[in-house]
Amino acid sequence: MGVRLGGLLPADLDEEQAEVYRAITGGARASVPRAFPLTDQEGRLRGPFNAMLLSPPVGFATQALGAAVRYNSSLSARVREMAILAVAAHWGSAFEREAHEAVGRTSAGLAESEMSALRAGRMPELTEPAERAALRATRELLRHDTLSDDQYADAVAAIGERGVFELTTLVGYYAMLALQLRVFLGEASSSGSDDRRASATGTP
């Protein structure tokens, strides 16, 4: 499967599309050091962002949700990036993995061993109880699409009800991006990732 949606040049955008483009390349994403480029050398949006220009009303809301998840969440940077990388491994999304491993290295303090475990669909060795509980919850959401009563209680105890809401939103948001990367950019599962989707969240 090849790329189905070519990159749109900034000069070719209508005003509604340009508003979405400015929101993606500016705002919260421009207020922090970028670990990975959002555009190519000619200004075309990379990864899942380009498809958001197809429907400016939906695209604008989608990018705003992503910005809220990344920049206005109560989750720690480490929990956030580990959860994103768990989603990327589950879906076999190379773009999200490469982008957020870069974030993990530059601003979230993730160790290479932690990212290697996440890449392979394993639970990294974590010493912080809140991080373990949050990542276990992420892995259960990916495997079973819900949390048991005990798992929910553990997650709330670790990151609070607000944190659980933000975590479930994050998992859904990055799963959506992975799906769109497959549909519009022809991103295929990496070798073995489909097998991991059934067990990417194996027993901690």
Side-chain angles (χ1 to χ4, degrees):
M1 184 189 304
V3 175
R4 291 169 170 159
L5 180 65
L8 302 175
L9 290 167
D12 295 335
L13 305 181
D14 63 29
E15 183 49 41
E16 281 190 308
Q17 291 173 319
E19 183 181 7
V20 177
Y21 183 97
R22 290 191 294 268
I24 292 170
T25 57
R29 295 179 182 87
S31 68
V32 296
R34 287 181 182 167
F36 60 94
L38 297 175
T39 64
D40 65 15
Q41 292 182 340
E42 295 183 306
R44 290 173 290 223
L45 290 170
R46 298 180 65 239
F49 295 110
N50 185 54
M52 295 179 192
L53 301 174
L54 293 174
S55 172
V58 176
F60 190 90
T62 300
Q63 69 78 29
L65 175 59
V69 165
R70 281 199 62 196
Y71 304 109
N72 293 303
S73 168
S74 65
L75 301 174
S76 71
R78 280 178 54 82
V79 165
R80 182 191 69 235
E81 295 304 320
M82 285 192 290
I84 294 170
L85 289 172
V87 176
H90 182 77
W91 278 84
S93 176
F95 180 90
E96 293 298 343
R97 176 181 61 78
E98 292 167 7
H100 287 277
E101 283 188 355
V103 176
R105 291 186 186 97
T106 59
S107 61
L110 298 187
E112 291 297 329
S113 60
E114 292 170 333
M115 291 189 289
S116 177
L118 291 165
R119 193 182 309 132
R122 301 194 309 270
M123 182 80 176
E125 294 184 8
L126 302 173
T127 59
E128 175 57 47
E131 293 181 357
R132 288 200 304 270
L135 193 53
R136 284 190 185 115
T138 300
R139 289 154 63 85
E140 286 301 315
L141 290 168
L142 291 170
R143 184 169 62 179
H144 296 303
D145 304 320
T146 190
L147 299 174
S148 70
D149 288 344
D150 287 344
Q151 292 161 350
Y152 177 79
D154 289 345
V156 170
I159 59 177
E161 288 183 319
R162 172 178 172 172
V164 173
F165 170 74
E166 292 172 346
L167 185 65
T168 56
T169 303
L170 178 153
V171 170
Y173 174 77
Y174 282 95
M176 175 187 67
L177 295 190
L179 177 63
Q180 292 178 343
L181 283 164
R182 286 188 176 190
V183 170
F184 293 107
L185 294 186
E187 184 177 76
S189 298
S190 56
S191 178
S193 67
D194 283 336
D195 293 337
R196 289 200 300 271
R197 289 186 65 187
S199 59
T201 59
T203 304

